[in-house]
Amino acid sequence: MQNKKTKSLVRVAVIAAMYAALTYAQSLLLPGTTTAAVQFRASEAMNVLALFFPEAIFGLTLGCVISNLYSIGQGLPLDMIFGSLATLGAATCMYLLRNRKIKNYPLLSMLMPAVWNGVIVGWEIEFFFVEGKFHLDDFLFQGGCVALGELGVMAILGTLLYYAMIKRGLDKKL
C-alpha cells in the first residue's frame, strides 16, 4: 500500500515539475506566448495525462501554480489563482469524461481546457484588467481568445501526445 502512495506522490511531483519547466522554458525562448490573451502554452498539452492518471489532476494544478508564480513578476498575480483553478476544473472534467469517446477519440475531454480557461481566465481578464464596468461582449471576446489558444494546443500537441501514449502503451505501463 505504501508503495502505491509513493508512486502516486512521485507522479504528481514529476507532472508538476514537467509542466512548470516546460512553461518556464517557453517563456524564456518565446516571451509572451505563455501569458498573452491568445497564448499557446505548450505545457497545456500535458492535460492529456488526466485521461490516464487521476494524479495528473493535482500535478497539473500544482505545476500551473508554480509556473504562474512567473506571472506575478509580470503584474498578473491573480493568474496564479484563477489560471490554476481553471486547470483544476479542466483536468478534473477531463478525467471524469475520459471514457466518452467519438470514434476512439476523447473529444469532450480535449475541449475541457478551452472551456474552463476561456470562461475563468476570460472573466479574470475582463473583471480585473479592463477598466470600467464588466461588459459581456468584451468578456466573450477575451474568453474566446483564451479558448482559441487552448484549442490550438489541445488539437495539435494534446492530440499528438494522446496518440503517442496510446501507440507506445504508456497509458498502461505508467
Side-chain angles (χ1 to χ4, degrees):
M1 190 79 159
Q2 183 65 23
N3 191 23
K4 208 172 188 180
K5 287 181 182 179
T6 303
K7 282 183 181 180
S8 291
L9 185 60
V10 168
R11 230 183 237 159
V12 169
V14 168
I15 291 169
M18 286 174 49
Y19 184 101
L22 280 170
T23 305
Y24 283 138
Q26 183 180 344
S27 292
L28 290 172
L29 296 172
L30 302 165
T33 59
T34 63
T35 55
V38 180
Q39 56 183 259
F40 193 88
R41 190 182 278 197
S43 53
E44 283 290 297
M46 290 180 61
N47 280 313
V48 167
L49 298 177
L51 297 172
F52 304 109
F53 318 110
E55 301 94 340
I57 297 167
F58 304 107
L60 292 164
T61 303
L62 180 59
C64 190
V65 168
I66 293 166
S67 64
N68 282 342
L69 286 171
Y70 180 72
S71 300
I72 292 174
Q74 295 180 319
L76 303 169
L78 297 173
D79 201 40
M80 190 173 77
I81 298 165
F82 293 107
S84 302
L85 286 174
T87 297
L88 176 63
T92 301
C93 285
M94 286 184 79
Y95 181 75
L96 294 173
L97 294 169
R98 70 191 179 282
N99 294 322
R100 304 267 193 251
K101 296 181 181 178
I102 299 172
K103 295 187 179 186
N104 292 324
Y105 183 74
L107 179 63
L108 291 174
S109 290
M110 298 296 262
L111 293 174
M112 290 299 107
V115 171
W116 280 86
N117 281 283
V119 171
I120 293 178
V121 177
W123 174 83
E124 173 194 357
I125 293 168
E126 177 59 24
F127 191 82
F128 292 107
F129 299 108
V130 177
E131 292 183 25
K133 293 181 179 179
F134 181 89
H135 296 284
L136 181 61
D137 54 338
D138 292 338
F139 159 70
L140 293 174
F141 176 75
Q142 299 293 350
C145 288
V146 172
L148 185 63
E150 287 287 334
L151 279 174
V153 169
M154 294 307 293
I156 298 167
L157 300 177
T159 298
L160 289 172
L161 180 58
Y162 174 76
Y163 284 121
M165 289 189 69
I166 297 289
K167 185 175 182 175
R168 303 230 187 280
L170 295 175
D171 55 322
K172 308 238 184 325
K173 290 179 188 175
L174 299 174

